[in-house]
Amino acid sequence: MPPLSQSDPEVSLVVPPVPPSGRRTLLGRLSLPERNYVAEALRTETVGGVLLLVAAVTALIWANTFGSGYASVSHFHFGPGTLGLNLSVAHWAADGLLAVFFFVAGVELKRELVAGELRDPRAAALPVAAALCGMAVPAVVYTLTASLGGGSFSGWAVPTATDIAFALAVLAVIGTSLPAALRAFLLTLAVVDDLFAILIIAVFFTEDINFLALGGAFAGLLVFYVLLRTEVRGWYIYLPLALVIWGLMYNSGVHATIAGVAMGLMLRCTRRDGETHSPGEHVEHLVRPVSAGVAVPLFALFSAGVTLKGDALAGVFTRPETLGVVLGLVVGKTIGIFGGTWLVTRFTRAELNKELAWADVFAVATLAGIGFTVSLLIGELAFAGDEDMINEVKAAVLIGSLIAAVLSGVLLKLRVRRYRTLYEAEERDEDESGVPDVYEQDDPEYHLRMAAIHERKAAEHRRLAERAGAASSKPDSPA
């Protein structure tokens, strides 16, 4: 029997491909701590994504069957007017609940920068380049479409965002077990995407600034930072302070979600001796279910209620603004992310993981065209005051996201057998140690445990062979 080589499929599932000297592998195997973190984060986001889908469908049905009731609930105002916070339900959802979502995004970003895939500038080149191209190209596509059609340029930022929860819900629905590297790539893309979306909101959608309130918000953030660094503990201290910071940020004229991401970035996300989780990871573990399971679905419920009557649906492919949103999400995102990834391999000493193909990158890039939560938020900000246009842009976001979901679902299904093979190899734990076997290849204890397992199996087979031999030697045994 000829010796097995690394190119043999049975071996490539266990032994990671080794690139030529001096070259790095793009979308290679994650470290075990990173793999565990990604798995836990994506489990929560997948559940949240399913709830998000349910909320979006509920909003569409509600708005198109009992439109007056939906409008009355969405526009119902409550809150302390003396503090400038007598807001509508929809406004509370967009500015209040999404602050929780952006808080989690801030913690994710901080962790990626100090302990995750973005801590190494060379490793960060891929997701950063892909995310930047995945935002720039959709903006260019929208701008060109609006320019050629004589439309408004105000919505250029609408198709730039990726909704990780919605994307994961699509993966859950179609039943595709993506390898850990592709799942981590999608998550990191979304984290970087959220960062730049926050910057876009802060820079381009801030008009009149109340510097007194803004100064108060910064003072509150400073107190928040000092309390964290002096290791003061107690949710009863931080939660009221966070609400004060949020209220001041809202009244400053800067979008209130900025307060969420700022506080998230302040948490410590590195582990000290004796810690199983950093404070940032602990808080994220507690808050992420609230964000994915409550905040984002409720925002979707009061933002996705598009009236699919009249020109709202028919005009999506005829108005330059709405067509630009659809093309930006479906075409711009795919070309941008795929092109950014290819450029990294073209101009750096890096090459794609041998276990994957460029078709996999293209499918994930198409999946990233699902822009929902942040796209809806930016659409509301970009066309504030024009309810008809906001409704049509929301319809465009929904249609563009649906098209991207269908296309990516088809592309991913074409490779589903390969993904399942890779996924099963990544999850296999034959020695039942709680650690996947692929991470124990350099551990002598693992091989001793496997040797003991195989010896027990060999002894059992020898016993069965002796029994079979004894049975065959009987006079009345079949010939």
Side-chain angles (χ1 to χ4, degrees):
M1 178 178 177
L4 292 174
S5 67
Q6 187 177 322
S7 61
D8 291 317
E10 295 297 325
V11 178
S12 66
L13 295 177
V14 177
V15 181
V18 180
S21 178
R23 295 182 68 84
R24 294 182 299 106
T25 300
L26 295 180
L27 302 179
R29 182 174 301 135
L30 303 176
S31 65
L32 183 59
E34 188 68 12
R35 174 248 185 210
N36 292 338
Y37 168 79
V38 169
E40 181 182 353
L42 294 187
R43 272 195 296 270
T44 305
E45 291 291 350
T46 300
V47 174
V50 174
L51 294 176
L52 178 62
L53 283 174
V54 172
V57 172
T58 302
L60 287 171
I61 295 173
W62 189 4
N64 287 277
T65 54
F66 303 99
S68 58
Y70 181 82
S72 62
V73 173
S74 297
H75 297 148
F76 177 77
H77 282 65
F78 69 96
T82 54
L83 300 178
L85 297 175
N86 184 27
L87 311 177
S88 67
V89 171
H91 209 158
W92 275 111
D95 288 69
L97 292 178
L98 277 195
V100 179
F101 166 79
F102 279 110
F103 172 79
V104 174
V107 178
E108 285 179 333
L109 178 62
K110 177 67 173 292
R111 186 199 166 278
E112 288 292 327
L113 289 171
V114 300
E117 292 296 294
L118 300 181
R119 71 185 185 279
D120 180 1
R122 293 182 304 169
L126 172 60
V128 171
L132 285 174
C133 293
M135 299 186 79
V137 176
V140 171
V141 169
Y142 175 93
T143 303
L144 288 175
T145 306
S147 178
L148 293 173
S152 170
F153 295 142
S154 299
W156 64 270
V158 174
T160 60
T162 294
D163 194 307
I164 183 65
F166 215 134
L168 291 172
V170 171
L171 292 178
V173 169
I174 65 177
T176 299
S177 299
L178 279 184
L182 288 177
R183 286 179 285 158
F185 178 53
L186 185 61
L187 178 63
T188 309
L189 268 179
V191 170
V192 179
D193 200 295
D194 287 340
L195 168 65
F196 287 103
I198 292 163
L199 293 176
I200 287 173
I201 291 171
V203 173
F204 294 99
F205 298 105
T206 299
E207 297 179 357
D208 298 328
I209 297 180
N210 182 329
F211 288 100
L212 182 61
L214 185 61
F218 278 120
L221 288 171
L222 180 61
V223 173
F224 190 87
Y225 178 82
V226 171
L227 291 175
L228 288 173
R229 290 301 171 268
T230 53
E231 299 188 356
V232 174
R233 300 190 178 187
W235 64 267
Y236 46 85
I237 296 175
Y238 289 101
L239 183 58
L241 178 59
L243 291 174
V244 170
I245 294 170
W246 177 87
L248 289 168
M249 189 69 75
Y250 175 82
N251 281 287
S252 73
V254 177
H255 201 271
T257 53
I258 305 300
V261 74
M263 287 184 279
L265 286 169
M266 290 182 181
L267 268 65
R268 176 170 63 83
C269 293
T270 53
R271 300 178 188 178
R272 294 175 180 171
D273 292 341
E275 290 184 339
T276 55
H277 296 90
S278 67
E281 290 172 323
H282 177 68
V283 172
E284 181 190 9
H285 179 74
L286 295 175
V287 179
R288 184 188 287 276
V290 178
S291 171
V294 179
V296 174
L298 282 177
F299 167 76
L301 181 63
F302 293 106
S303 292
V306 177
T307 304
L308 301 177
K309 299 176 183 178
D311 297 334
L313 191 58
V316 166
F317 297 100
T318 57
R319 294 197 61 159
E321 295 89 350
T322 51
L323 180 60
V325 170
V326 173
L327 292 178
L329 289 171
V330 177
V331 179
K333 273 288 183 183
T334 303
I335 293 175
I337 293 173
F338 182 83
T341 307
W342 181 84
L343 287 173
V344 170
T345 62
R346 176 68 178 81
F347 294 105
T348 66
R349 296 182 62 81
E351 63 180 10
L352 187 66
N353 186 345
K354 297 297 185 184
E355 293 180 344
L356 301 174
W358 283 108
D360 302 317
V361 179
F362 189 85
V364 171
T366 306
L367 181 66
I370 299 174
F372 189 77
T373 305
V374 180
S375 290
L376 291 176
L377 174 62
I378 293 177
E380 292 178 355
L381 296 174
F383 297 100
D386 189 344
E387 291 299 324
D388 291 336
M389 179 59 76
I390 289 176
N391 193 61
E392 292 179 11
V393 167
K394 286 183 177 181
V397 170
L398 293 174
I399 292 173
S401 298
L402 178 61
I403 294 172
V406 172
L407 288 177
S408 61
V410 171
L411 294 173
L412 291 169
K413 274 294 186 182
L414 294 175
R415 296 274 291 169
V416 69
R417 293 181 63 183
R418 178 61 175 166
Y419 294 153
R420 285 177 180 166
T421 301
L422 293 173
Y423 182 80
E424 289 168 3
E426 291 173 352
E427 299 296 316
R428 188 176 297 126
D429 183 18
E430 292 186 3
D431 64 334
E432 299 181 348
S433 65
V435 177
D437 296 341
V438 292
Y439 292 99
E440 296 186 298
Q441 297 304 305
D442 295 328
D443 182 5
E445 294 298 323
Y446 161 76
H447 293 287
L448 291 174
R449 289 193 297 270
M450 290 302 300
I453 291 171
H454 287 303
E455 286 167 3
R456 286 197 299 271
K457 290 181 178 179
E460 177 64 16
H461 282 293
R462 280 192 294 269
R463 186 182 64 81
L464 293 174
E466 291 173 359
R467 179 186 297 178
S472 64
S473 63
K474 292 180 180 180
D476 58 347
S477 62

